[in-house]
Amino acid sequence: MAMAQTAPQRLHVIAAGPTASLQANRHRTGRALLVDALMALAVVGLSLALRGWAADIAGDNAFLEFLRAQWLLLLAGNGVALDPLSLPVPPLVFLAAAALGGPQVAEVWLPIALNVAILLVLTRVLLRGYPAAAKLLAAVPLLATPFFYLLLFRLDLQLFVLLLGLQVATLRAFRLQPTVARVTWAIGLNIALSLTSYAAPAALGAAVGYLLLIANYKREVQVAAWRALLWLYAPFSLAGYLVWMVAWATAGSRLKTSYFLTAAPEPFGRLTTSVTQTLGLPLLLLVGLAVILVLFLRSPDTRMRGGRSQAAAWVVLSFAATGLGWLVIQTLVETLPSEPDALTFAFVLLIPAAIGSVYGQTRNILNTNRGTTRLLLVGGLAIVMVAFSMQYLLRPIVWGDGLPSAERRAAAAREAARAFRLADPGGRVLVDPRFAATFVLEGGINPNRLLTPFDQDFSALVAAPPDDVRTIVVTDAEDDFVGGNYPRLRLLDVVPDATLLAEGRARPALVRAFRREPPAALLPDLERAIVAPYAAAEERLLAEVARRLGPDLMPTRMDGWAYGIDIGNILLYAAERGDAGLFTAVDRIVRDRLLVTEMSDGNALYTVAWRAHADRQVDASGTTESLRVVDAYVTAAERWAAPEFDRLARVIGRAYVAHEQPQQDGHRWFIRNYYNYGTKQYATNTYIVDYDPDVLARLAQRTGDPEIERAAVASAELVQQAQHASGLFYLMYQPEIQTIHPGLEFFAPNALAKTYDAAEVALGTVSSDRAIAERVLEFARTRGDVLEAEYSLTDLHGHGGDRSPALFAGITRLAVALGDLDFARQTADEHLASELEDLISAPASDSWFFNAITTLLSLRELQAAMAG
Amino acid sequence: MYPHGTRGINYARLERLADRGMLSLPAGESAHTTFWGWQLPVLLGGLLAVIASLFAWPIGTLIAANATATFLYLGILVFRFYTIHRAEHVGATLIATASGEVGALEDSALPVYTILCPLYREAGTVAQFIQGMRDLDYPFDKLDIRLLLETDDLETQNAACAAKASLGNPESIQIVLVPDAQPRTKPKACNYGLLGARGEYTVIYDAEDVPEPDQLKKALVAFKRLPSSVVCVQAKLNYFNSDQNLLTRFFTAEYSMWFDLFLPGLFAVGAPIPLGGTSNHFKTAALRQLGAWDPFNVAEDADLGMRIVRNGLDTAVIDSTTWEEANSRLGNWIRQRSRWVKGYMQTWLVAMRHPLRLLRTLGLWRFLCFQATVGGTPFVLLMNPVYWLLTLLYTLTAWGYVPLLFPTPVFVASLLAALVGNLMFIYLSMYGLLQRQRYDLVPLMFLSPLYWIFQSIAAWKALYQLITKPHYWEKTVHNLGHHTAPSLTQDASLAAQLPEAA
């Protein structure tokens, strides 16, 4: 067979004469090189020109961030730290390029060089021996597809495409001459491919399927030899995975989670979407190819010299079928990590290869005399060409629309880095570089300054940073797993010792750099107490509170939950009283039980839960509770001149502000009542007790935070709007209610207003809008001893209800705040001191702690006011 | 006294040699003394030092021992892979003699070729061996076939005489009775046979061997083409009964890798080549000058190969195969393998009696190659079970002491040796079979680790025997499968396995 094929070729050479043939060959080679060089130049030019466009879509992605982090780790002498699902080839290629030419080379020029390599694989390897027209026909769609330029930002996908092209070439070489040496090269490429992407099994499956197909056709091959070679090819191609798996199993990783671990299994819908949208037209292309190839199989006249008939096109078909099958399996078992992107992007190279291959074949077959065959071939080719062209017109995804945009975290990191450059305090930087590589690079931070999770005992470093640590970088985003990486990282434990230096936000991501200062000791006079007339009552009640709280200081209610409002009140009381011991203990409870530091949910981060349970997860944030805790920390900062509490209050205040619903669609600005940690949804309404303009204003004034200041102003405006003419308040605001009752903004269920709520809200407006507070106090003062717990907003008749100690404690506090000490003392005397024993002896109830601690607050504030 | 055909022998010299077990080598080059001069004290001293160190610094000593063993092991693996890789690129340097070159040899110009065939209790194979020799593409009258028989083996003597008589008692066949003196080893018989050899060239075949017909001519062509320093060419060996059972299949795979990949690789990198048991073609004069075989070395072939190198001479490999009978029974196989491994140990000990002299003679590269080949083969086989047991122990018990023995660099090296090494050996077994076009055996190679276990058992037995019975010759029983050695010219299926035929 081989002789029969080569004989005409030899005759041709002899007829042309050796010199003429040599010259013709040289001419052809020179022309081919020139064409390749021109196309390579085109790749470089287009890649540079379109890089900016591609960066908007795919730049700064998680994988690039991962590579940058590896580079930083290397520079810092920490070595490479791959995570379990990352494969070593792309990072090692990146690091090698960075080591040789710097990160700019690795990020810019290496991808461009690889794109040139992809083109050359297409024209010089896959279509080797094909006419120049076929190569051009293949190169044009390659250069025209935007996917080609998106590859510039995904080194792993780019290497996958490149190696896949070489792997396909080895199949052809293998097919032409199945020797051990060739199969060894093919295995080597497969191992490289498998250490590049988890999509390699699809490519390997396709290759094996293709080789089996060829072997079973029994054409021009020794079946026994083929099958024996496949025993080498298939298992040893997977050796890379085996080695990698064993290496991880035995050596392990310094990381517990992965960049590449998806939060949830690939939904089946994504597969169907891929097939119908992303892969729809490529599949149509493949149908066209299949038509052509079947015709080739049926036609005995169409085999080309050298046995290269239809090889590339068959490989593409085989790859497409196996790839789709692989994705289906992956979707069904919900565990395999192959990225559909790798398979999709592979078509960037494979389809042009198939087009070139088919064209190279059809040119010959079109010269046959069979009319039907010729017609079908033209039709098939038309489908291929038209489908390929149409996808650019019909499918926005091809132009980048609908592709996942670049990581926002990197944008946030850049913003923070710009600010950090101006305020870099020097010293070492405690940072998680997996997620802040861009920050470090853009911030011009020497990697040797870094303390990272890859340092020994990082948890201990976080808990007690060395004195030379001056900056702490915290990042988060919804899709990060850093919290899972180091559960309860407790970075917040050190945040109170830090000042916010720089911040970048690009929702849902944020990057914050804190300047850490030497821990300030609590003032020595913490035990200072103000002696006041109501001290005895306070001490008596405080002893009972302490008894009921027990050693864990948790104000647990009947349902087993400890409520944030109670804990916040105790914290505030401890701050006002100046009881450092109590404050420190409750502060620990707030941080451990209420403050959300889990970084996996950006919305939940630093919010205060509305309640906590010993055995259950917190379920939602509490805005009133947040305000109370902020009030406590600001008070503590003032009392002990400890700015770290201001900073913690600011962090929580920011999280409170994050509950805001901006003014839009005719609805006013408001703070949504809670954020549900489980459903990750905000409430759609707000309660009047969710506002404390004075606390926010104090915080804004102390920290200079414009966001908080803006919220303070908006809060005051809302509270003012929510006040009824009587001085009481509507209880809530819910935009949806306006669809039922147009014009109704604030309302109270059953038109009943709560007097205590009015006192509490008024207490928060004393500074920002004193008139509001005055109206409430006036309402109480005019009713004196007969003050009711609830009033109808329609006729202002009292509706009784529980005239709890908290009610009078609230009025007392308001009176103190407004300077009406007489009324305050009168209220305290008549309703608090006299009923103290009843309160102390009252059985446990849901409201006991609330009543008791509010009473303590009122007694404390009254004493403080009296003491001047 | 002696049967017909044992003429031309200097009996006085024979008597003297027989007293020394046919040893014509200086004592310093023979394995007659297992441990030479300083070797035993140094080995025992080293052993005692290690034991003492174990008591003083148990973990440190174990780590040091493990690290040494691991890196040696890894080095040997790397050497193996490198040589085989080189073999892939040295197709041209392998002495592949073109059929035209062989055909151009004129019978009248061919030299006398001595064929030594030691036989012991192999009466049934004599006739077929002689037939095999008659099938050789070489003028029969220019052959000097010397059947080396033991004096107490009357049955084989009778069979040999009958076979010779049936051919009209040709001059080409000589029946040589080996004097009954210790050691009763194959090399002693060969030495005795060599004394009266007439041929310019000499080759050894076992009784059941079936060399390719043109092998002698190929060897001649190789000798002519190669430098005069090449005094020996080794033909490839393989088995005609490879399909008899699982053991013979593995044995075939091993031989395919050894003779088709590793030995050509050694040739390519200029390393000393340990000769195979048969089909070694020598320039007779050079062989005599070298002192021929050491009768006290149970792997006399490997020893001779090393001695060739130590004397500044060379060995080459020719692209011709001799088909042998693979050992098909496990006990028999382990006896044979333990003898080979013991012989390698003896060879190493003999060569290392003067390490510096050896280094000067061989040069650093060949010295290292010698260590990796002759020393490395028993070493790897002995160490394998140690690491298997450690792995098993840790897997089953998670015993905390095991990881202590593997600091990171040692661990990485061990992991490489275990993972890449095992995979590569399986791969190379397959590779050798593919070269041999034994496609049917390729999938079986995934079970190679089973075979490695028996190799290691044989190695430990060899070590034991080196100490207790260093010169004991574990005789291999042939014709176990009752296979009759086929004639290449008659057996089409065997002929089809030959690369040339394909």
Side-chain angles (χ1 to χ4, degrees), chain A residues 180-181 184 231-232 235-236 250, chain B residues 88 411 423 427 430-431 439 443 446:
Chain A
V180 176
T184 303
W231 276 107
L232 259 74
F236 284 96
T250 51
Chain B
E88 173 65 30
F411 178 71
L423 283 173
Y427 185 84
M430 292 177 161
Y431 189 174
Y439 305 127
F446 286 111

Side-chain angles (χ1 to χ4, degrees), chain A residues 350-387:
Chain A
L350 294 182
I351 287 183
I355 289 175
S357 169
V358 167
Y359 174 76
Q361 308 298 313
T362 51
R363 224 169 55 134
N364 280 4
I365 200 173
L366 284 174
N367 294 329
T368 63
N369 293 323
R370 298 183 181 183
T372 316
T373 304
R374 193 184 300 177
L375 195 65
L376 283 170
L377 277 172
V378 170
L381 201 56
I383 290 175
V384 171
M385 297 303 179
V386 170

Side-chain angles (χ1 to χ4, degrees), chain A residues 452-483:
Chain A
T452 74
F454 308 104
D455 285 293
Q456 288 285 323
D457 300 326
F458 183 66
S459 298
L461 291 174
V462 169
D467 286 345
D468 61 347
V469 168
R470 287 285 174 269
T471 306
I472 297 162
V473 179
V474 182
T475 74
D476 75 280
E478 282 183 14
D479 53 353
D480 280 352
F481 282 80
V482 68

Side-chain angles (χ1 to χ4, degrees), chain A residues 159-176:
Chain A
L159 284 169
F160 178 76
V161 171
L162 179 68
L163 291 172
L164 183 67
L166 291 172
Q167 189 225 31
V168 169
T170 63
L171 291 181
R172 203 179 79 172
F174 187 12
R175 179 172 178 266
L176 294 177

Side-chain angles (χ1 to χ4, degrees), chain B residues 80-159:
Chain B
R80 284 272 174 103
F81 301 149
Y82 172 69
T83 51
I84 289 175
H85 167 72
R86 292 296 303 158
E88 173 65 30
H89 295 279
V90 293
T93 57
L94 185 67
I95 308 307
T97 46
S99 57
E101 226 175 332
V102 171
L105 294 174
E106 288 185 17
D107 284 357
S108 59
L110 292 175
V112 174
Y113 218 118
T114 294
I115 295 173
L116 300 178
C117 177
L119 293 146
Y120 187 61
R121 301 198 191 288
E122 292 171 286
T125 57
V126 173
Q128 107 190 6
F129 174 75
I130 290 175
Q131 182 57 46
M133 296 303 101
R134 283 170 60 82
D135 288 342
L136 288 173
D137 177 18
Y138 208 88
F140 193 64
D141 60 346
K142 294 208 170 179
L143 291 179
D144 172 28
I145 302 169
R146 303 177 72 76
L147 305 176
L148 312 175
L149 312 178
E150 298 290 336
T151 49
D152 63 346
D153 186 8
L154 295 178
E155 191 183 358
T156 310
Q157 290 173 23
N158 290 335

Side-chain angles (χ1 to χ4, degrees), chain A residues 717-736:
Chain A
E717 186 184 338
L718 185 138
V719 170
Q720 193 253 330
Q721 293 294 321
Q723 191 170 38
H724 186 258
S726 62
L728 298 177
F729 291 92
Y730 294 101
L731 287 188
M732 57 192 299
Y733 172 75
Q734 189 154 5
E736 304 98 292

